[in-house]
Amino acid sequence: MGYIREQSNVIYRQLLRTRRPFVASITDGMGNEIFRIRRPFWLINSTIYTEVGKKVVGVVHRRWHLWRRIYDLYLGNKQFAVVENPGFWNWTFTLKDEEGNVLAQIDRDWRSLGLELFTDAGQYVIRFGNPDPSSKVGMTSVIPKLEITRPLTLTERAVVVALAVSLDTDYFSRRGGWGLPIFIVGE
């Protein structure tokens, strides 16, 4: 379907780890850039920008809290969603609008004890849902339905992808190979 390619300084990656600045290009299966996300260096609260053609179209801000994971999602200057994850061990992040209605959901899937313990290889599922639950056909009927208030626009979905990258970097990419860079090169 597509790729996420991070562009960052290898020294910053090793020294700053999860606080490092980076730019990531989101491309289609043919390698054409759809949009990019840019994350500057941060100390307390992270911010990640969604850019289309070098123009910022959306922003994700993390709000500091001792045990909860709270993110605000913006299109321009208008907030369209918030994520208030209830606890440290909860790996499901539900996006809600200002009235508390569900817009989408990001799940970090458990893969195996070995992968979770010894690597940073995470697998995420972004569920945008369907406002019409009767439209399920075929194999999609096996997947639990996510009832949403309204479908997100393509720009809002791009900001949700940026949120998923930010969640991975902020909370689940802690080890980084214990300081040893692991490079996987492929076409």
Side-chain angles (χ1 to χ4, degrees):
M1 306 261 318
Y3 301 96
I4 298 177
R5 293 189 174 106
E6 180 182 334
Q7 304 160 6
S8 64
N9 183 308
V10 73
I11 294 174
Y12 286 163
R13 184 176 183 84
Q14 294 304 309
L15 294 177
L16 301 176
R17 302 217 181 242
T18 62
R19 299 180 189 283
R20 73 185 181 278
F22 66 83
V23 174
S25 296
I26 288 69
T27 62
D28 62 15
M30 304 304 278
N32 302 313
E33 184 176 282
I34 302 168
F35 64 95
R36 70 177 44 207
I37 54 177
R38 180 177 48 85
R39 182 168 152 147
F41 171 77
W42 60 278
L43 282 175
I44 297 172
N45 294 323
S46 66
T47 300
I48 194 163
Y49 299 92
T50 305
E51 301 175 346
V52 175
K54 304 249 183 202
K55 180 183 178 221
V56 175
V57 294
V59 181
V60 177
H61 292 293
R62 184 178 87 175
R63 279 189 274 153
W64 188 87
H65 192 278
L66 186 58
W67 65 87
R68 292 173 51 195
R69 299 168 178 163
I70 304 172
Y71 288 85
D72 298 316
L73 288 76
Y74 295 88
L75 281 181
N77 292 331
K78 185 174 188 280
Q79 183 174 356
F80 74 92
V82 67
V83 173
E84 294 186 4
N85 186 279
F88 186 73
W89 294 107
N90 189 329
W91 289 6
T92 300
F93 302 87
T94 304
L95 285 82
K96 296 182 179 181
D97 63 12
E98 62 248 2
E99 286 91 32
N101 300 315
V102 175
L103 297 174
Q105 196 171 65
I106 300 173
D107 292 311
R108 184 175 195 277
D109 287 345
W110 174 268
R111 296 183 57 201
S112 72
L113 181 63
L115 284 173
E116 296 296 335
L117 195 58
F118 297 113
T119 72
D120 281 339
Q123 180 174 330
Y124 294 84
V125 176
I126 302 174
R127 297 173 58 209
F128 292 111
N130 190 339
D132 181 16
S134 65
S135 65
K136 289 189 171 191
V137 293
M139 292 301 291
T140 59
S141 62
V142 177
I143 300 170
K145 65 181 177 180
L146 176 66
E147 293 182 20
I148 59 170
T149 303
R150 66 170 180 87
L152 297 176
T153 65
L154 288 177
T155 308
E156 289 171 333
R157 289 177 184 219
V159 176
V160 173
V161 171
L163 170 64
V165 171
S166 190
L167 288 169
D168 180 58
T169 307
D170 288 346
Y171 296 107
F172 300 109
S173 295
R174 294 291 180 209
R175 292 170 291 283
W178 286 287
L180 301 172
I182 298 174
F183 298 101
I184 299 173
V185 179
E187 277 298 317

